[in-house]
Amino acid sequence: MNVKLTNGKVIPIEMHKIRIVQKANLVPIDRRLEAIEEGGYNTVLLRTRDVFLDMLTDSGTNAMSDNQLAAMMVADDAYAGGESYYKLKDAIKDVLGLEYYLPVHPGRAAEHLLGRVFVRPGMVIPMNYHFTTTRAHFEMCGGRVLEIYGHDALETESSNPFKGNLDLEKFQAVIDEHGPENIAFVRMEATTNLIGGQPFSLENLRAVSEMASKHGILVVLDGSLISENAYFIKRREAKYMNATVAEITKEMMSLVDILYLSGRKSACVRGGFIATNSKELFEKIKPWLPLFEGFLTYGGMSSKEIEAMAVGIREMVDINVASSSADLIEYFVNRMVEEGIPAVTPPGGLAGHVDAHKFLPHLGSFDYPAGALSAAIYIASGARPMERGTISLDRDENGNELASDIELARLAVPRRVYTMAHMEYVVDRLKWLYANRNLIGGLKFTEEPPVLRFFFGRLEAVDGWGKKLAEAFKADFGADC
Ligand code: F0G
């Protein structure tokens, strides 16, 4: 929650008490250089013993609540018919208003099932923006992802509160060109991950839903960050200023045919599900669940996580939970902007994002600026960001490199894990890095996997710039920090 101080300054205040903590470790600069070289300049391949602030992702890294942990103790570990399934069913019904659900072990398993059931070769899937696993799954089924975002969605500095909106004219053009029968579904992603966690408005979702239903096209919502999107609607869409996050969330649900999500984000637990009010759609997907995930009443999730998810789904629409990372991100982004760092604005969900093209204008897309900046941030701070740019985009079917629309170093802010002091530290190191940005060079693949290459890909620093950066850091701060 944001609170205003006597001097007018607004700060994000924690609406929880921190009673269990995990020790953090800041290894010295020489070890950080060694670690990133061992990890092939890919922050995904670092070991956490070498990481001070793990800002790689908010996926499965949030702090769970006492009630979530307590719920795990009463899980019903049955293979079939377990009571835990029904507790989550009740929570989904109460909070989201959806009758039917299928648990899956993570969000991408939901994408796999949706692809298998609804995507046929040659079909298109229009969406406000893709996510890495989304695109890979739908393309694997022979579909083609069409990104139909608004004209300024990729402008990293902006005052548009809803850069995640779908462009309705482009949607109409897609319908006219391909015909509704060749559109597997339209997908909306809550706080579009890859373009800076930017939300869509409820007005936009309603318009998408109306257009889609006029043509018999299904609306699928990726709600991995659903409560954050609802919170942004409350903060930014005048009509909903007085609505609760819970009311907004339910209204969003009334506009979609299928919801799927990774529970690892808003719901603060590891797992996911697909939910719908249509028995027909539910029955279409259901037979595939035991083949790929597990029986209907656990879907590959542990019963403990299902119990924790039932609590997490109820808690995520509490404004103090929905705002817990969004408000800290807002503070973080505003501080970056104050220090002249090219952060993505307005602040979004999931993370504070730095525009790597603006930070490193001397690098081209195929020098992998977002990857280079992410590695440099780790070297300078021990915080590990994630590359969200050209490395995260796989080659096309002819093996050609594709330049990402946008090059971001993503510094995730998991819920209830880090504090303002942590953010201040990262901002300070980013400031130092920005002043020394000419020392940061490009990256080159030494090992490049064929799919989702950002996970296991290994790279090297062109002309060994990592060493020079570490030397400059030591000259300013010494070797111990
Ligand atoms: N959809 C969105 C919008 C996501 O952000 C993610 C995961 C998924 C689907 C897949 O879910 O990991 O449970 O299989 N995002 C993580 C991230 C990995 O780091 O942003 P999953």
Side-chain angles (χ1 to χ4, degrees), residues 57 106-108 111 131 189 193 222 224 262 264-265 410:
T57 176
R108 72 199 67 183
E111 292 169 337
F131 182 65
E189 183 179 310
N193 189 329
D222 178 336
S224 305
S262 168
R264 302 170 65 92
K265 293 171 176 261
R410 180 183 84 176

Side-chain angles (χ1 to χ4, degrees), residues 56-59 105-111 130-134 187 189-194 222-225 260-265 270-272 350 386 388 410 412 454-455:
L56 188 76
T57 176
D58 63 338
S59 176
H105 77 280
R108 72 199 67 183
E111 292 169 337
H130 78 278
F131 182 65
T132 53
T133 54
T134 318
R187 171 180 174 275
E189 183 179 310
T191 79
T192 44
N193 189 329
L194 296 186
D222 178 336
S224 305
L225 276 100
Y260 79 89
L261 54 79
S262 168
R264 302 170 65 92
K265 293 171 176 261
R270 287 144 294 262
L350 202 168
M386 180 140 186
R388 299 278 67 158
R410 180 183 84 176
F454 63 93
F455 279 130

Side-chain angles (χ1 to χ4, degrees), residues 174-473:
V174 169
I175 298 172
D176 294 343
E177 185 187 339
H178 297 273
E181 66 285 3
N182 293 314
I183 299 175
F185 47 78
V186 56
R187 171 180 174 275
M188 290 292 278
E189 183 179 310
T191 79
T192 44
N193 189 329
L194 296 186
I195 55 172
Q198 301 295 313
F200 54 73
S201 68
L202 205 39
E203 186 192 3
N204 185 252
L205 182 63
R206 180 167 295 109
V208 170
S209 174
E210 279 167 11
M211 270 177 78
S213 70
K214 205 165 86 190
H215 293 93
I217 299 166
L218 293 176
V219 181
V220 172
L221 174 65
D222 178 336
S224 305
L225 276 100
I226 190 174
S227 62
E228 274 79 3
N229 203 118
Y231 175 61
F232 287 127
I233 288 171
K234 179 175 172 59
R235 290 269 312 270
R236 299 178 184 180
E237 198 167 347
K239 193 171 158 200
Y240 296 97
M241 211 167 62
N242 297 320
T244 64
V245 172
E247 286 162 352
I248 295 169
T249 304
K250 236 185 193 156
E251 195 161 335
M252 284 160 81
M253 290 308 105
S254 70
L255 300 170
V256 307
D257 297 293
I258 295 176
L259 164 74
Y260 79 89
L261 54 79
S262 168
R264 302 170 65 92
K265 293 171 176 261
S266 286
C268 295
V269 69
R270 287 144 294 262
F273 62 78
I274 301 171
T276 177
N277 262 332
S278 159
K279 185 157 180 7
E280 190 193 334
L281 293 174
F282 170 73
E283 293 295 346
K284 262 192 180 164
I285 306 166
K286 193 174 81 175
W288 297 98
L289 188 67
L291 180 61
F292 292 108
E293 297 298 302
F295 186 67
L296 173 66
T297 56
Y298 77 99
M301 282 178 72
S302 92
S303 305
K304 291 185 173 47
E305 300 280 3
I306 294 178
E307 289 278 349
M309 189 181 276
V311 177
I313 291 289
R314 291 185 192 278
E315 289 181 345
M316 76 181 184
V317 291
D318 172 343
I319 190 163
N320 291 326
V321 178
S323 66
S324 61
S325 105
D327 288 350
L328 188 55
I329 290 168
E330 183 180 351
Y331 176 85
F332 179 34
V333 168
N334 289 343
R335 286 287 298 116
M336 283 196 272
V337 171
E338 270 171 33
E339 299 297 347
I341 297 153
V344 174
T345 55
L350 202 168
H353 299 80
V354 183
D355 182 330
H357 268 320
K358 287 190 180 150
F359 203 106
L360 304 172
H362 51 286
L363 299 185
S365 298
F366 301 131
D367 297 318
Y368 308 133
L373 180 58
S374 298
I377 292 171
Y378 169 71
I379 293 171
S381 68
R384 79 160 156 178
M386 180 140 186
E387 193 271 359
R388 299 278 67 158
T390 296
I391 297 176
S392 290
L393 195 61
D394 286 335
R395 288 171 184 264
D396 69 12
E397 61 274 20
N398 302 316
N400 298 317
E401 278 262 38
L402 299 170
S404 173
D405 293 327
I406 195 161
E407 291 284 337
L408 304 178
R410 180 183 84 176
L411 288 143
V413 180
R415 293 153 194 81
R416 303 178 292 211
V417 174
Y418 297 125
T419 64
M420 267 173 68
H422 289 128
M423 297 302 118
E424 282 297 331
Y425 168 80
V426 176
V427 171
D428 180 78
R429 292 308 191 246
L430 281 167
K431 187 176 162 185
W432 179 85
L433 215 48
Y434 195 55
N436 290 275
R437 61 191 179 280
N438 289 335
L439 293 175
I440 305 171
L443 297 177
K444 217 170 51 198
F445 268 105
T446 56
E447 285 173 39
E448 187 185 339
V451 65
L452 298 180
R453 62 183 183 170
F454 63 93
F455 279 130
F456 297 118
R458 299 183 65 83
L459 303 100
E460 63 186 19
V462 175
D463 297 330
W465 59 260
K467 259 187 207 70
K468 289 174 213 151
L469 186 69
E471 287 311 316
F473 183 89

